Amino acid sequence: MYLLIVLLPAIGSFISGFFGRYLGKQGSMIVTTGSVLFSCIFSFIAFYEVGLAHSPVYIELMSWINSGFLNVNWGFQFDSLTVTMLIVVTVVSTLVHIYSIEYMYHDPHIPRFFSYLSLFTFFMLVLVTSNNFVQLFVGWEGVGVSSYLLINFWFTRIQANKSAMKAMIVNRVGDFALSLGIIGIYYIFKSLDFSTVFALSYLFYQKSFLFFNLEFDVITIIGILLFIGAVGKSAQIGLHTWLPDAMEGPTPVSALIHAATMVTAGVFLLLRSSPLLEYSSMTLFIITVIGSLTAFLAATTGVVQNDLKRVIAYSTCSQLGYMVFACGISCYSVSMFHLMNHAFFKALLFLSAGSVIHALSDEQDMRKMGGLAKVLPFTYTMILIGSLSLMGVPFLTGFYSKDVILELAYSSYHIHGNFAHWLGTISAFFTSFYSFRLIYLTFYGTNNSYRSIVEHAHDAPVIMIIPLSILCIGSIFVGYFTKDMMIGLGTDFWGNSLFTLPKNLILVESEFIPYYIKLIPVIFSIVGALLATLVYKYMSRGTYKFTSSPVGRIIYTHINRKWNFDIIYNEFIVKYILSFGYRISFKLFDRGFIEVIGPTGIVNSVKKVARTLSRVQSGMIYHYTFVFFIGVVLLSLVSSIDITYINPEYYIILVVILILNSIL
Amino acid sequence: MNLISYITLSTSIFIIGIWGIFLNRKNIIIMLMSIELMLLSINLNFIIFSIYLDDIVGQVFSLFILTVAAAESAIGLAILTVLYNVRGTVAVEFINLMKG
């Protein structure tokens, strides 16, 4: 059963991908959705057995690489962390499969789409269930490939192609660092199994080794390299530019990849490596700072985006920042808790946004929506619940994890905890601001879309209602139900899967921070929501004046262009790398030096020598006689030189070379 | 006998022959004559050394070379006449059709 959890989506993907034309549209839908559904059911059983009944499962399937000290097996490890991820991945994936049945019904490439969706699920499951770093890397790259295929699903659109390439390439920057980190782990620990590496990690506390010929702390370097991998996958600041662009794929794809699964892989890696990261305070510091900066940057950017899906994408980016800095302050269980809650309400938000887009004939610009609450009451309810949950309104799912993260950051003993706390709190304000901006622009106010579109707008059909309802229930109740199990004081749910150094434990401290600090995030959220509603209801003229004033215009365009990250990258990195590729490595080296020294140069010089030499034969008899006599004289001279230790033939060769030289 | 002066004489004739070949740009008959002159100087050389070393082989060789020189100039003159028939001139500077 445990292997079936992983393999069922692969089988579904294989059948739908290779035999989709025999199965037809409905057939491939049933096969893939059914296999993922069964995988989901088995995941729940596994969750009961492993998580609740405390019996981790460890399966060694077969040997993969076996060479000297390097032993890599195909192995699966189901501990509490894995089964929690399994629940998240399979539930969201199943619901997305079901949702896509209706949403993608009129698409001509149904078998391919469902095959890709299941393939993605399969690789995500490989990633979370592996028991060593190499197999984790298989899943890691696999979800990258699948995300490429899915973002590029409408391959006739140039924008989709470009976004898919961007997603793949930006991810590979992180993947490169991750593979370096894995190599570093092998170099230090002589093993790649999680169990071995994590059991040995304390032995390398404050040990140093040579990296780029400089001496560095072992665990810091490995931790930072692993973190850069996570930065790529989890869209943290620096490598976050691919995530908003990846909205070019169909909406269920955005819900699957960019809400619940792929971007959580980076956080999962940090959680999985917790026994390693704990021994380097430097790494934890960097993780906290990067995570909190991401939360802040993405939250502010989300405020002024006009694309419905882009707002949610930036919200994802921001929430991932929360998860990452929760890892940085050593609260791994809280990070995982937020990951799970976030998966539910973010999938709900994305799928509801898909419902809106579906209803409005694929219109994504929020400025062309408005007043849809009466037209799409169900979708409106869903998106409201999702947004309230995202804002951390008390007693909804988001509240239980998000506010705990902020409290923990405040009670951290390190200065970076405080930094993260304040950035996170400000981000909470922006989060609720853009959430209510989205709701206001889409559902309240006056309608700005075409009459013909609104006339045909209809609420979600029944197949889309089912996943939305389930996710809605999850968004309301999951946090409350699982809080004590996951982050309750003294919970033994996690067993050995997460590790925190005793000196970094702050779960108790966070209960005794000042009362007003606990209230601030909630107050900020509510103020943000009210402010957004008021601004967009009564002050639309004021916002227009602000954005058209000289200073406001600069601020607005700066943030609306995503803090100019894309421009900076294109102007200062991509352009130079491309021009290096053409001017230096292609024109100067490949077609330049190597050609001149290599084939073309040799051919040309031999031709030139031959042409010069053949010009010696002028056709004039007296020239021939001259060369002839000179030759005889030289030969006799050379052979008359008597240096016994050197062969006279060498002199002949030397003289010939000298003559040739002077002729040329 | 004064060997040096004899050899100087024959070598001088030889070098005059060489000069005659490659300083001459006009007449191919002069070229043939120069070759004859070179062969004669060699013959002279052989005879000088045959007397000096008191050895008959040098004179035998000189007789052979006389024969060869006669044959050679006969063939050479024959080629020359054919060349004149074909080209209408025997100027050396016009014999330059074969270039490298």
Side-chain angles (χ1 to χ4, degrees), chain A residues 617-620 622 624-625, chain B residues 21-22 25 95-96 98-100:
Chain A
Q617 295 193 319
S618 60
M620 305 293 184
Y622 37 89
Y624 293 164
T625 50
Chain B
I21 288 176
F22 65 74
R25 308 251 151 138
I95 310 176
N96 59 0
M98 304 260 281
K99 278 181 189 165

Side-chain angles (χ1 to χ4, degrees), chain A residues 371-448:
Chain A
L372 292 175
K374 283 176 193 158
V375 187
L376 311 169
F378 179 78
T379 311
Y380 164 60
T381 318
M382 292 299 120
I383 225 166
L384 187 65
I385 290 169
S387 294
L388 291 176
S389 192
L390 169 71
M391 286 159 50
V393 166
F395 315 118
L396 291 178
T397 291
F399 171 70
Y400 290 98
S401 51
K402 189 170 159 184
D403 282 15
V404 168
I405 290 179
L406 291 174
E407 286 169 21
L408 285 165
Y410 184 79
S411 58
S412 165
Y413 291 129
H414 303 286
I415 185 69
H416 55 250
N418 231 314
F419 176 74
H421 173 258
W422 288 113
L423 276 187
T425 309
I426 297 166
S427 309
F429 169 78
F430 285 119
T431 305
S432 54
F433 190 92
Y434 65 65
S435 296
F436 262 80
R437 176 175 178 267
L438 187 152
I439 287 172
Y440 189 88
L441 289 179
T442 315
F443 293 105
Y444 301 151
T446 51
N447 196 315
N448 294 322

Side-chain angles (χ1 to χ4, degrees), chain A residues 290-322:
Chain A
I290 299 280
S292 47
L293 281 177
T294 310
F296 178 71
L297 173 123
T300 51
T301 314
V303 169
V304 293
Q305 296 302 310
N306 292 319
D307 188 316
L308 184 62
K309 283 170 78 181
R310 253 167 221 269
V311 174
I312 305 174
Y314 274 105
S315 153
T316 303
C317 204
S318 170
Q319 297 302 310
L320 285 164
Y322 278 87

Side-chain angles (χ1 to χ4, degrees), chain A residues 259-323:
Chain A
T261 47
M262 182 166 161
V263 290
T264 61
V267 180
F268 173 78
L269 178 73
L270 294 180
L271 297 170
R272 185 51 98 196
S273 318
S274 60
L276 205 63
L277 301 178
E278 276 299 291
Y279 289 102
S280 165
S281 53
M282 181 71 186
T283 310
L284 292 176
F285 171 76
I286 291 170
I287 292 174
T288 315
V289 170
I290 299 280
S292 47
L293 281 177
T294 310
F296 178 71
L297 173 123
T300 51
T301 314
V303 169
V304 293
Q305 296 302 310
N306 292 319
D307 188 316
L308 184 62
K309 283 170 78 181
R310 253 167 221 269
V311 174
I312 305 174
Y314 274 105
S315 153
T316 303
C317 204
S318 170
Q319 297 302 310
L320 285 164
Y322 278 87
M323 292 176 215

Side-chain angles (χ1 to χ4, degrees), chain A residues 438-486:
Chain A
L438 187 152
I439 287 172
Y440 189 88
L441 289 179
T442 315
F443 293 105
Y444 301 151
T446 51
N447 196 315
N448 294 322
S449 54
Y450 299 111
R451 179 176 177 165
S452 58
I453 291 175
V454 180
E455 268 178 348
H456 293 107
H458 55 89
D459 217 337
V462 70
I463 298 179
M464 279 156 74
I465 284 180
I466 295 168
L468 287 176
S469 313
I470 295 171
L471 285 171
C472 161
I473 293 166
S475 300
I476 299 174
F477 294 112
V478 159
Y480 172 68
F481 276 136
T482 56
K483 177 180 184 295
D484 278 338
M485 179 183 76
M486 287 193 166

